[in-house]
Amino acid sequence: MDGHSLSAFPYMSDTNKRIADMFGVEFGKPYLNLLETGSMVPDSNDAAIGFGVLRSFLPKGEHVNLASKMHEAFYLDGKSLSDVETIESIAKSYDLPADKIAEEFIRISKEVKYHPDFYEARKIGVTSFPTLFLEINGKYYDLKGSAITLNDLEENMNIIKEKGGILNDGCNTPVACNIDGTGC
């Protein structure tokens, strides 16, 4: 959201390598080329607007899949989430009215300083990125907690889903906390 090109973040290549090693994710060559050239100016607000518009046309059960498609568009295909054509392409992949979605994306981009999801995230305690949280029946849980690996994330998810709360890892360190800071 600050309007800095990728060249302002020279550490991203090393960070992405650590992420790939820790979590087994892949970064596509087009994205890696973006990092190398450094000219793209990513805008998380545009990404939030695109996600919000697309999300409004999909059932709740498709929202995680939508987030995955947006991540693929950026981190694999190197496409800008500020580009209306990217949003239209994702809409078409769901057989949604791409022209209507594009119009809404452009309209909201011009009308709001920050997407409402930023304010909602702040209300539930999100203060930094990346953040991974899980909502169950209106209660928010920090899914990442102290997770370092994919197995840790899966363990946290199981703890939250099965136990409905917090378990310690044997060191009195919460494995998963409520995102509002309670239970930690």
Side-chain angles (χ1 to χ4, degrees), residues 1 12 15 46 60 68 82 107-109 119 142-143 152:
M1 283 189 341
M12 288 303 296
T15 300
D46 287 342
K60 192 173 187 177
S68 178
S82 297
R107 182 187 67 75
I108 293 172
S109 296
Y119 299 110
D142 179 354
L143 190 56
D152 293 341

Side-chain angles (χ1 to χ4, degrees), residues 42-133:
D43 187 327
S44 57
N45 194 49
D46 287 342
I49 291 168
F51 182 78
V53 172
L54 287 161
R55 177 182 66 200
S56 71
F57 283 83
L58 293 169
K60 192 173 187 177
E62 284 295 317
H63 295 178
V64 170
N65 186 44
L66 171 60
S68 178
K69 283 187 182 222
M70 292 184 75
H71 276 126
E72 287 173 14
F74 183 65
Y75 291 109
L76 290 178
D77 303 332
K79 295 181 179 177
S80 171
L81 298 177
S82 297
D83 190 342
V84 70
E85 286 84 18
T86 302
I87 303 304
E88 286 176 311
S89 174
I90 294 168
K92 288 175 185 174
S93 75
Y94 284 102
D95 293 323
L96 297 175
D99 55 340
K100 187 174 181 179
I101 287 170
E103 288 173 17
E104 187 72 358
F105 175 78
I106 292 166
R107 182 187 67 75
I108 293 172
S109 296
K110 291 178 181 177
E111 289 181 2
V112 301
K113 182 173 181 176
Y114 299 113
H115 189 272
D117 286 348
F118 284 102
Y119 299 110
E120 289 299 312
R122 185 67 67 173
K123 267 201 284 190
I124 62 171
V126 175
T127 60
S128 66
F129 175 82
T131 297
L132 183 59
F133 60 94

